[in-house]
Amino acid sequence: MRRLALTLLLAMGLLTGGALAVGRPAEMLPDPAAEARAQEIGRELRCMVCQNQSIEDSEADLARDLRRLVRERVAAGESSDSVRDYVHARYGDFVLLRPPFNLVTAPLWALPVIVLGLGALTLLRMRRRTAARPGPAPLSEEERARLAALERDI
C-alpha cells in the first residue's frame, strides 16, 4: 500500500512538473497581484526557443531569463504595456504570441483566409468538372448480348 501511494505521488509530481514552470519561489514575486500581472504578461510572450509556448510555459533558459526580466520590470512598478513594449522593442514582433496587424504582419494574418479561399475554389472547380463530364455511353446491342452470355455462364 505504501509503495502504491509513493508511486502515485511520484507520478503526480511528474505530470504537474511542466505545468508549474514559474512555480519556483526564487522566480515568483512576493506580491501576489504583481505576480499575477507578471504571469499575464508572460502568457502573451513567445518563447524564442520553443516558439509555440509562452515564456510562462517554457523551461528553456531564454524563457527563464525573459520571465526574470518581466518580473524585475513589474516589481519596479512599470505598467503592463510598458513591460510588453520593452520586450517587443528588444525582440521584435516574433516575441508576441499575438503579433500586431501592420504591413509586415498582414500576410501572416491573411494567409489562413487565402488558403481557405483557394481550397474553396479548388473544390468548386472539381465539382464543376465532375458535373460537366458526360456519363458512360450506353451499351451497344453486341455488348448487351455478350454481357447476357457472361451472366449465364456465372
Side-chain angles (χ1 to χ4, degrees), residues 73-137:
R73 291 187 161 269
V74 167
E78 289 187 32
S79 71
S80 298
D81 288 337
S82 67
V83 174
R84 231 182 271 92
D85 291 344
Y86 175 80
V87 176
H88 179 228
R90 197 166 179 190
Y91 293 97
D93 286 339
F94 188 72
V95 77
L96 301 175
L97 280 172
R98 283 183 229 111
F101 185 81
N102 56 37
L103 286 176
V104 175
T105 60
L108 174 69
W109 286 99
L111 191 62
V113 175
I114 292 169
V115 169
L116 285 174
L118 289 174
L121 285 174
T122 303
L123 286 175
L124 284 173
R125 289 184 75 196
M126 288 174 59
R127 202 173 203 189
R128 285 183 185 161
R129 282 186 186 168
T130 305
R133 189 178 306 155

Side-chain angles (χ1 to χ4, degrees), residues 7 9-10 19 22 38 57 69 71 76 81 86 105 119 135 138 145-146:
T7 304
L9 211 70
L10 179 63
V22 182
D57 298 327
L69 174 76
R71 281 166 176 71
D81 288 337
Y86 175 80
T105 60
R146 190 168 160 216

Side-chain angles (χ1 to χ4, degrees), residues 15-84:
L15 289 174
T16 59
L20 302 174
V22 182
R24 294 177 200 83
E27 282 188 30
M28 295 177 72
L29 294 173
D31 178 18
E35 175 61 28
R37 198 162 58 91
Q39 286 182 15
E40 180 184 328
I41 295 167
R43 283 189 203 95
E44 297 174 12
L45 301 174
R46 180 188 319 272
C47 173
M48 305 295 271
V49 177
C50 306
Q51 296 184 7
N52 286 331
Q53 286 184 321
S54 73
I55 62 170
E56 291 297 314
D57 298 327
S58 175
E59 287 291 326
D61 291 336
L62 180 60
R64 195 171 298 121
D65 292 343
L66 284 173
R67 283 194 302 265
R68 198 171 298 122
L69 174 76
V70 167
R71 281 166 176 71
E72 286 172 5
R73 291 187 161 269
V74 167
E78 289 187 32
S79 71
S80 298
D81 288 337
S82 67
V83 174
R84 231 182 271 92

